Amino acid sequence: MRKKDIKRINDNTYFYKDDSGVSLYLDISFIFDTTRINDIKSEILVRYLTMINSVYKTRKEIDDKSKELYSLSFSPGWRNYNEKSVMFFSCRFIDPKAVKDDYMKDAIDFISNMFLKPAFKDNKLDKDKFTTIKKDIYNEYINMVKDLGYDSNRKYKKCILKESVSNILSYDTKEELERDLNSLTDKDIIDFYNELLKNHYKTFFFGNYSKKDIDYILKLFNFNNEKNYIINTKQRFDLKKEYNEYISKEYSQSILTVTYKIKDTDKYSKDYYASIISNIFNSLNGILHKILREKYGLVYSSGAYIPRESNVFCIEANIDKKNKDKTIEAIHEVINMLHDRKFVEERLNYAKGKIKESIYLSNESPRNIYGKAFDLVFDSNALTDIGRIRIINKITTKDILEFFDSLENENIFFYVGDRDE
Amino acid sequence: MSRVKSVILDNGIRLFVHGDKTMKKCSVSFTVDYGHKGEYYKFNYKGKDYEVLPGCAHFLEHMLLEQSRYGNLYSYFKELNYNANACTSLDYTKYYFTGIKRIKSSIYKLIDAIENPIFDSKAVRKSSPAIEEETKIFDNNAELQAILLSLRNSYSSFDYQHEVSLNPIGNEETTKSLDYDTLKLCYDAFYSDDRKIITIVGPIDEDDMINYIKNIYKKIPNHKNETKLKIPTDLVSIRKKEDVLAKKIVESDLLIINYKQFIKGYSIFEIRSFLNFISEYKFSNKTKFYEKEKNEGTLLFYYGNDIFNIFTNDLDDAFIMQFGFYTANKDKMLNDFEKEFKINNFEERDFELYKKAWISRVLIADEDKYNFYSGLPINIIFYREYIDFVDCIKKLSYDRFIEFYNSLKLDNRVITLLTKEG
């Protein structure tokens, strides 16, 4: 797909016409400031809007109506982008031609009720639902931190990375989360909602929409577009050199994470470098698998990654606690292999071929095309397929060698599974 | 979704092909009707009885492609930029790849690796540590262990789940004890031709591909089915009506309830569809029951069903409805649940909405052609034949559903409580 295939309807409204699938996507977005408390407010708001509104009073009514409209999905959510966050009201309809039913007006009215007619009677939220939502968020936090992967990831981010994006999992304790949840009033949520609607970011249509339907949607969702936001998607983490260990008596498996700071951040923080690195290290043909699993039998799964637009390179392995030192040695062995020019050249060429082929093949799926178009609309750093391929072609063996030569500040985080068997 | 051409080869292998010149990739899967469910632990092969530990199907899945005459076949597939992997479930083992180039030679290598295994004791010992690590992933999934324990307790004369481990792929000890002889035995017993399904979809000529596969198999000796599973004679009796599983990692109590049913005259598709409708209609998070119970500290965790789907096809009428609830008061919750279950408040409109929504979801999922075809062999194993989902959904009848619902009983019940270790 190409950037010029995304048509601009007005200042902040975009349309990509695609008739290869049966889905029609609609994303309407708004901006708010990134803070932990705003994250909680967003979470409460999106749940509230999907449970009740001034037209449909119960979840069942909403669900029945959605079924009637061919499983129409309405899924609000948000993403943090450093200082600013974006709230998305995302919908998916099925093409009326696919079901031979001219139902779109009904569907659009339904969506309009879902988020333009919230149940804020007398400036109050429905008391039961508000209480239920807070309880749910709290309970889900409890369940999430029970998960080995989540808990390890959260702890290493806290220990090793100075800043990380704020979200519910950044709470260290359930007491902290509970305190914040309890502090929020009806007014806080309603004010947050009202403020949100003043800060429309962008609207995006994807699919085989008719002009009539687009016009109707724009008429109903007529937002103020005076402000023109530019979102900074780059993330910066500051590393301090240290070793951290956390012992868990609940789990039997351990997770070892080794991180490095990437020196030349501006050059290497792009996500195409992340793709190249991922290809070299990961999957069944990657060097992590070959060394850690096939050569030494230390792991079942391992992976290397660069969190998006960040300056950190991470290698993670699920291991038995007794193999910690051997695994660290094996990881050093892997990193040393990447100082060999011939080896790197071979892996780089392979990675380039694989990435370019994936790009080519991904355009078969309407869902993938939608994803790419979405990125181009909402992320100023996103590249088109051709742009990505051009840049990948320019990456040289020397670039990759320099990347690995420049890694510094090794940190080791060990989440120890110490359950008595 | 478009038609699929199906052929049964002379040796009994089922082959499904679909040519679509608009597709860029070719998607190939080789599925064997052999997994890690209890029916595969005790069997008779060539007149002799055997009993094996859990994990054989999964271990074989690793051996056949990782230790082939071509080396690690996944590495070969990755060099060609394929997406390739394998998986083992309770009911099947599936090997698959998707790619663009050298498809025919890759199909040949895949078939050759599976049909002519070369792994030996040394290869088994070499692969064991990674598999032992893999078994530990399951150790931290207490909920799944509770579900499987519940299924094990539902049958007294049948080991749905092996007694040594609630982990379907075994644990560290059982994996260490699996040797070459055991794995070879399981291969010989269960990789018979009548258990195999091959699917090939993509920009291919269907007849050309069928002939290609037939030619490959001309050089491969038939693998006869000489195995008899130990069919339980009694599906009614229950091993243990109530049980407790205590685990450190659990925060709140989880109650798993199984209800065994014996109802004749409904297809597998109908049974699954009707049970899903009941669960969704009465107990999903959109219902009044759910809201009320949640306020009292109960949360629906899981609903599912298990149809006694063994190879001989004789016992389709037996199935289990299964529900899982996090709850602070299990007796009250159980009482509320069964009371709600017995209320017949199903309206035809709701049933038609359920069908309409399901059809939409199928149409949307089938936008991805590879997604559709990758599910094909699994659907054939579950439903015993190739079915057109949209067509089958449209044919579901509200009257038959009511009749089915009225036949359900709650007296044949098995309960498992998952709780924090005291």
Side-chain angles (χ1 to χ4, degrees), chain A residues 22-23 59 68 70-71 92 132 136 146 250-252 285 293-294 300 320 350 357 361 364, chain B residues 23-24 62 66 72 78-79 81 100 134 136 140 249 285 294 349 356-357 360 364 367 370:
Chain A
V22 301
S23 303
R59 251 207 180 133
E68 204 181 291
Y70 300 96
S71 271
R92 192 206 59 229
T132 299
D136 285 349
K146 270 173 21 183
E250 285 89 19
Y251 296 108
S252 58
N285 217 22
R293 180 164 155 175
E294 284 184 6
Y300 169 69
D320 186 291
Y350 167 75
E357 195 172 280
L361 293 174
E364 267 195 290
Chain B
M23 290 168 82
K24 293 183 180 121
H62 278 261
E66 287 176 15
N72 185 331
K78 292 296 179 185
E79 288 293 333
N81 290 344
I100 297 181
E134 190 180 348
K136 289 179 189 167
N140 297 316
I249 51 173
N285 63 1
K294 203 162 71 145
R349 179 182 175 267
K356 192 175 185 182
S360 309
I364 287 166
E367 274 183 330
Y370 302 99

Side-chain angles (χ1 to χ4, degrees), chain B residues 18 26 32 60 71 84 112 145 148 151 164 170 173 190 202 221 254 271 273 276 286 297 303 350 352 362 366 421:
Chain B
H18 174 69
C26 195
V32 185
L60 270 175
D112 188 35
Q145 291 175 48
L148 290 172
L151 287 166
V164 311
E173 290 73 44
F190 293 111
L254 174 66
I271 293 171
S273 308
N276 279 342
K286 316 277 191 311
Y303 59 78
D350 294 309
E352 293 306 316
V362 169
D366 288 352
E421 205 165 79

Side-chain angles (χ1 to χ4, degrees), chain A residues 40-50 76 87 89 118 120 133 189-190 192-193 196:
Chain A
I40 303 286
K41 288 179 191 173
S42 310
E43 186 64 50
I44 292 173
L45 180 64
V46 304
R47 288 175 191 236
Y48 189 76
L49 293 176
T50 54
M87 169 81 79
F89 291 105
F120 292 162
I133 288 170
I189 306 301
I190 294 172
F192 181 76
Y193 170 82
L196 200 63

